[in-house]
Amino acid sequence: MLTAWLLAGAAPAGAMGTTRVQQSDGSIQLYRDVRLRLHGTTLRLISPDRKGVLEIASGACSIDRELERCLPYSVTFRQFGKTHNIGITHGTIFLNLTGAVHHLPHSSERMPPHSAVVLVHTVRDTYISVHGTLDEIQP
Amino acid sequence: MNRPLRLACAVVLSASFPLAALAQPHGGSRGGGRPAGPGPGTVRQPAPVYRAPAPNRAPISRPTPSQGGFNFNRDIIARPPAPVQRRTVIPQRPPQISFRGRVIANPHHWNRPWSWNRSIVWQPAPIYWGGGFWGPWAIAALGAAALFGTIVLNEVTYPSYQVEADSPGALLLQNYGLQQTPCGQPNLVVIWGPNNSVICTYPNNTVGPGNYELDPSTLTITSQ
């Protein structure tokens, strides 16, 4: 649940995720050790070298079994001192904010405690997928 | 022919007969498993080679992975926006209906606001039909095929779509024991949801035909 608690102290050391970006030209970039931070209903992805930040704002959060499911509606990309709005068509964010492992709905994939699974499709036909443990959770 | 002369002839012949020519497939060859080539006197065209079309590259300097950070170059380069084929238009104008009738309490009796959502405040996500209340239906991806009837009110057409099984809207229907049906028929329950969305159901003993407004916080409906 997106309740008012800070996970920073409770998160496992080096809690991080993997981000895969597949652009319309077929190129695929895989970023490991991406930091995932949840601030309210905004998920912030920080690149391994901390130069790039992707902010995914979401709404329509509801409980789907034991997981929280939100719908992303805007993506802001900040890097090299510039800010870009990336238009998106749709996506889904699953959050496991419990302390237990749960299955993704209609899937055999298991989500560890305090983790996120994200899929976003942009208007430029880029697919962004994220798997990982949340580094920080703030209200 | 003496030996030096034979040697000179051999050199001249080999020079005028490039080895590459030997490597060419011969038309009409048999037993090689290849289809027969063109007959003598025809010009052999090279076989067409499929090459994937080169991607559209704009002459703009882009950040590359070597520069660090993330690479979203195709999403941030300046170019005209991609044509979004929005076949469905969601009206911006809310329905001109006054909902001051009876509040039909949710039979599930949720005690507090948002208790149906484990105290998470539900807020609409703008790019989805109904703010995502009825399911993750992106407006950009909605097509005529997915249409589940329409409501025409004051010359404004409000499209309706099917409620997703795991959505908050499905919980609403489950709580009231309602079954969705395409809008457009008479004597239906018409529920107006977030962001000018509308769905229709058959009436039952709890909810009679007519227009209703949804309160997402308590998951209750109010009649016209």
Side-chain angles (χ1 to χ4, degrees):
Chain A
M1 244 179 278
L2 297 178
T3 49
W5 63 291
L6 185 66
L7 185 69
M16 289 185 183
T18 301
T19 298
R20 183 181 187 272
V21 179
Q22 178 176 335
Q23 300 193 76
S24 58
D25 60 357
S27 66
I28 295 172
Q29 289 90 38
L30 195 65
Y31 304 92
R32 299 185 195 280
D33 301 331
V34 173
R35 289 185 180 274
L36 309 183
R37 293 180 177 174
L38 186 64
H39 291 189
T41 53
T42 298
L43 185 65
R44 188 169 294 160
L45 314 181
I46 303 168
S47 67
D49 57 9
R50 302 190 181 198
K51 289 182 177 175
V53 177
L54 200 68
E55 286 183 349
I56 305 174
S58 65
C61 295
S62 61
I63 294 293
D64 193 341
R65 295 163 183 86
E66 295 301 319
L67 304 177
E68 191 170 325
R69 181 176 71 167
C70 301
L71 302 178
Y73 60 83
S74 80
V75 172
T76 305
F77 176 46
R78 287 190 279 114
Q79 188 162 272
F80 307 125
K82 292 182 178 174
T83 300
H84 306 271
N85 289 320
I86 296 178
I88 66 171
T89 61
H90 65 280
T92 306
I93 297 176
F94 280 101
L95 300 168
N96 180 4
L97 301 178
T98 73
V101 175
H102 293 291
H103 278 279
L104 269 176
H106 314 296
S107 167
S108 60
E109 185 168 342
R110 290 149 55 95
M111 287 188 69
H114 310 127
S115 64
V117 170
V118 180
L119 181 66
V120 172
H121 179 242
T122 76
V123 296
R124 302 290 188 200
D125 224 15
T126 297
Y127 287 92
I128 306 166
S129 60
V130 183
H131 291 71
T133 308
L134 292 162
D135 184 50
E136 188 179 302
I137 301 175
Q138 286 185 6
Chain B
M1 203 181 295
N2 58 23
R3 193 175 174 192
L5 188 57
R6 283 204 304 268
L7 191 61
C9 286
V11 168
V12 168
L13 278 172
S14 63
S16 64
F17 205 85
L19 289 175
L22 297 173
Q24 295 291 327
H26 293 269
S29 65
R30 290 177 173 86
R34 286 166 173 252
T42 58
V43 177
R44 178 182 293 277
Q45 297 293 330
V49 178
Y50 172 75
R51 287 189 177 87
N56 247 346
R57 296 189 188 282
I60 295 173
S61 76
R62 309 166 184 170
T64 60
S66 61
Q67 290 177 272
F70 290 118
N71 179 13
F72 286 102
N73 52 23
R74 296 190 72 82
D75 285 272
I76 63 174
I77 55 175
R79 56 177 174 165
V84 177
Q85 293 191 346
R86 188 173 289 187
R87 285 166 287 184
T88 304
V89 177
I90 308 298
Q92 299 297 310
R93 199 171 76 183
Q96 303 298 307
I97 304 174
S98 177
F99 295 97
R100 292 178 184 169
R102 189 165 69 97
V103 176
I104 301 179
N106 189 311
H108 193 279
H109 300 299
W110 302 105
N111 295 326
R112 293 167 286 108
W114 310 114
S115 58
W116 64 269
N117 203 26
R118 294 194 201 168
S119 299
I120 301 171
V121 176
W122 187 92
Q123 290 175 321
I127 63 170
Y128 303 86
W129 173 66
F133 186 83
W134 309 108
W137 310 132
I139 294 172
L142 285 173
L147 203 62
F148 213 55
T150 57
I151 294 284
V152 180
L153 202 65
N154 298 328
E155 298 178 352
V156 179
T157 301
Y158 297 86
S160 184
Y161 300 92
Q162 211 155 5
V163 179
E164 193 220 20
D166 297 326
S167 66
L171 181 63
L172 172 88
L173 298 185
Q174 181 193 333
N175 285 174
Y176 282 95
L178 295 169
Q179 184 191 347
Q180 191 187 12
T181 187
C183 291
Q185 308 162 55
N187 298 320
L188 293 181
V189 174
V190 180
I191 301 175
W192 295 89
N195 295 13
N196 304 327
S197 62
V198 65
I199 64 142
C200 299
T201 74
Y202 292 113
N204 62 12
N205 292 336
T206 310
V207 188
N211 284 297
Y212 295 85
E213 183 184 43
L214 163 70
D215 179 355
S217 68
T218 54
L219 221 57
T220 55
I221 53 176
T222 304
S223 67
Q224 186 176 4

